[in-house]
Amino acid sequence: MTPALVFDCDGVLADTERDGHLPAFNETFEHFGLPVHWSEDDYASVLRIGGGKERLTSLLTPDFVTRAGLPSDPEAQRAAVTDWHAEKTRRYTARVRAGDLPGRPGIARIVHEAHDAGWLLAVASTSAESSVRAVLEHVVGQDAAAWFAVFAGDVVPRKKPAPDVYELAVRELGVSPTDVVVVEDSANGLRAAVGAGLTTVVTISSYTADEDFTGAALVVDSLGDLPDTPDRVLQDPHHVEPTGQVTLDTLTELLRLTGGRP
């Protein structure tokens, strides 16, 4: 069967959290006059929650609702969260389109390698689809972005670490789980991909370096781009030993070693 390469978005295509999502959240709080401002440490804790709407919903404690002057009706609160999330997405997307968030090393390179070799390409993310597509076009270019299927936002009811979005991607791509390599950056993302039975490479990002990546087929600091930004291998349980950059040959070997393609 045709192999597929599926990327998470935030932290994988670009290191978006600190310089993209966090300031967009805080600008949104200020815009709506909400009594909250997330520090980098606050946001590190918030990131354990999958999905932007879900992170905003976590604010709705009784004390916060009172201080913010929000309605007590759950339906009205959901509508408010929807408005906040739309504003946050608009602000975040503007940052991406302004070129403030450079792509991570090796992404554009391996996307072209995979496409040229006939692999299917996809992104599976808890972020809003418009945000994902903006990052994707910025990192790989508009033409290459058209090669991708995108599974994002509320396309599944349960978000990572639940495996739902990856199970959906496998079904919609029409591939076997044994023919899929996922690139993730977080423990939640890894749990989601492994829960769907997928071989997973982790490229740590600014907020995830200290997380537990047990179950990953390979952990590196980036996919690498020689000669300027070689990768650093952190965990290599299958001894594929990428030398400076993770290549399509590396991913093919991981599939073979983890029970995927021969």
Side-chain angles (χ1 to χ4, degrees):
M1 293 182 66
T2 302
L5 179 55
V6 183
F7 299 88
D8 177 41
C9 179
D10 297 311
V12 170
L13 299 181
D15 202 349
T16 57
E17 298 293 2
R18 176 175 283 117
D19 298 323
H21 286 291
L22 176 56
F25 274 119
N26 283 330
E27 288 168 5
T28 297
F29 299 150
E30 184 176 358
H31 175 79
F32 284 98
L34 299 173
V36 60
H37 183 94
W38 283 335
S39 67
E40 289 192 5
D41 287 343
D42 293 333
Y43 194 56
S45 296
V46 170
L47 282 175
R48 299 190 185 106
I49 303 169
K53 288 181 183 176
E54 289 76 8
R55 291 166 191 161
L56 290 168
T57 300
S58 73
L59 292 170
L60 298 177
T61 63
D63 177 65
F64 182 85
V65 168
T66 299
R67 288 189 294 116
L70 297 174
S72 58
D73 175 57
E75 187 62 34
Q77 290 180 4
R78 283 192 288 272
V81 167
T82 297
D83 290 342
W84 301 345
H85 189 253
E87 178 66 18
K88 178 263 172 181
T89 298
R90 184 187 69 77
R91 291 174 179 272
Y92 170 76
T93 301
R95 285 177 172 270
V96 174
R97 297 201 187 283
D100 294 343
L101 306 171
R104 295 199 64 195
I107 294 296
R109 170 184 57 77
I110 207 160
V111 162
H112 282 83
E113 287 181 15
H115 176 262
D116 292 347
W119 287 46
L120 299 177
L121 294 164
V123 175
S125 172
T126 60
S127 291
E129 183 174 348
S130 58
S131 296
V132 172
R133 291 192 180 279
V135 173
L136 187 59
E137 291 181 5
H138 174 63
V139 171
V140 303
Q142 192 168 19
D143 289 344
W147 302 335
F148 283 76
V150 173
F151 308 95
D154 297 326
V155 69
V156 290
R158 297 190 306 163
K159 296 186 178 180
K160 301 172 186 178
D164 300 34
V165 71
Y166 283 116
E167 292 172 344
L168 174 66
V170 168
R171 288 195 305 272
E172 292 295 316
L173 292 172
V175 295
S176 166
T178 57
D179 288 308
V180 178
V181 176
V182 169
V183 183
E184 269 286 357
D185 76 304
S186 70
N188 271 354
L190 172 64
R191 287 166 59 194
V194 171
L198 309 180
T199 299
T200 307
V201 174
V202 171
T203 58
I204 62 167
S205 60
S206 57
Y207 276 104
T208 67
D210 296 327
E211 294 184 359
D212 180 6
F213 296 121
T214 301
L218 178 67
V219 182
V220 291
D221 66 341
S222 75
L223 295 181
D225 264 327
L226 292 176
D228 295 330
T229 52
D231 67 15
R232 181 166 57 95
V233 178
L234 305 176
Q235 298 176 33
D236 186 13
H238 299 286
H239 306 290
V240 291
E241 300 179 355
T243 54
Q245 59 186 26
V246 176
T247 67
L248 204 62
D249 287 343
T250 310
L251 303 186
T252 301
E253 180 67 1
L254 284 174
L255 284 179
R256 186 185 71 81
L257 293 170
T258 57
R261 294 176 64 81

